[in-house]
């Protein structure tokens, strides 16, 4: 288990702008939905990307129409914002695992 560094202001601001932009373009048309810091468990590990984007048809909803809490699949698109404290190799490894 590796603790992820807590985002600072610029990182958080960029993350918010990206997520809001993706959801503004694709959510209402039910094409995709982007999630902040969503734990995704698949293969032999769990990852928490900065932004996880799923195509609408792959999102599992509960009976009340809300996404289920436990995501057991890889996102369709993973966005990682590299912070100065993060190892580029470790981030690249996370992205490769998603592929």
């Amino acid at each position: 288990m590796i603790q992820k560094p807590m985002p600072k202001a610029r990182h958080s601001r960029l993350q918010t702008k990206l997520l809001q932009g993706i959801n503004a373009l694709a959510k209402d048309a039910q094409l995709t939905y982007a999630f902040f810091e969503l734990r995704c468990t698949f293969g032999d590990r769990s990852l928490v990307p900065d932004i996880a984007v799923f195509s609408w048809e792959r999102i599992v909803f509960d009976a009340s129409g809300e996404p289920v809490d436990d995501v057991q699949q890889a996102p369709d698109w993973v966005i990682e914002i590299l912070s100065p404290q993060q190892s580029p190799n470790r981030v690249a490894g996370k992205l490769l695992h998603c592929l």
Side-chain angles (χ1 to χ4, degrees), residues 2 8 14 22 25 39 42 56 59 78 83 87 89 94:
I2 300 168
K8 296 187 178 175
L14 178 58
I22 293 165
L25 292 171
R39 181 185 176 112
F42 56 95
W56 198 268
I59 300 171
V78 173
S83 299
S87 161
N89 289 340
K94 284 173 61 174

Side-chain angles (χ1 to χ4, degrees), residues 8-25:
K8 296 187 178 175
R10 287 185 290 175
H11 180 282
S12 182
R13 185 171 168 242
L14 178 58
Q15 187 179 15
T16 300
K17 284 184 172 190
L18 287 169
L19 183 129
Q20 288 175 339
I22 293 165
N23 285 341
L25 292 171

Side-chain angles (χ1 to χ4, degrees), residues 40-47 71-75 96-99:
C40 302
T41 302
F42 56 95
D44 60 347
R45 55 198 276 209
S46 295
L47 303 175
V71 175
Q72 303 291 318
Q73 59 184 332
L96 288 172
H97 179 72
C98 291
L99 292 174

Side-chain angles (χ1 to χ4, degrees), residues 1 9-10 23-25 30 35 40 46 50 52 55 58 67 71 76 84-87 89-90 99:
M1 185 180 296
R10 287 185 290 175
N23 285 341
L25 292 171
Q30 295 186 343
F35 297 87
C40 302
S46 295
D50 289 323
S55 59
R58 292 187 63 234
V71 175
D76 294 301
Q85 312 92 303
Q86 286 180 295
S87 161
N89 289 340
R90 183 169 289 143
L99 292 174

Side-chain angles (χ1 to χ4, degrees), residues 1 3-4 17 20 23 34-36 41 48-49 51 58 65 67-68 70 72 74-75 81 91-92 95:
M1 185 180 296
Q3 183 172 345
K4 186 174 180 174
K17 284 184 172 190
Q20 288 175 339
N23 285 341
F35 297 87
F36 277 121
T41 302
V48 182
I51 300 173
R58 292 187 63 234
V68 297
D70 295 325
Q72 303 291 318
I81 301 165
V91 173
L95 297 173

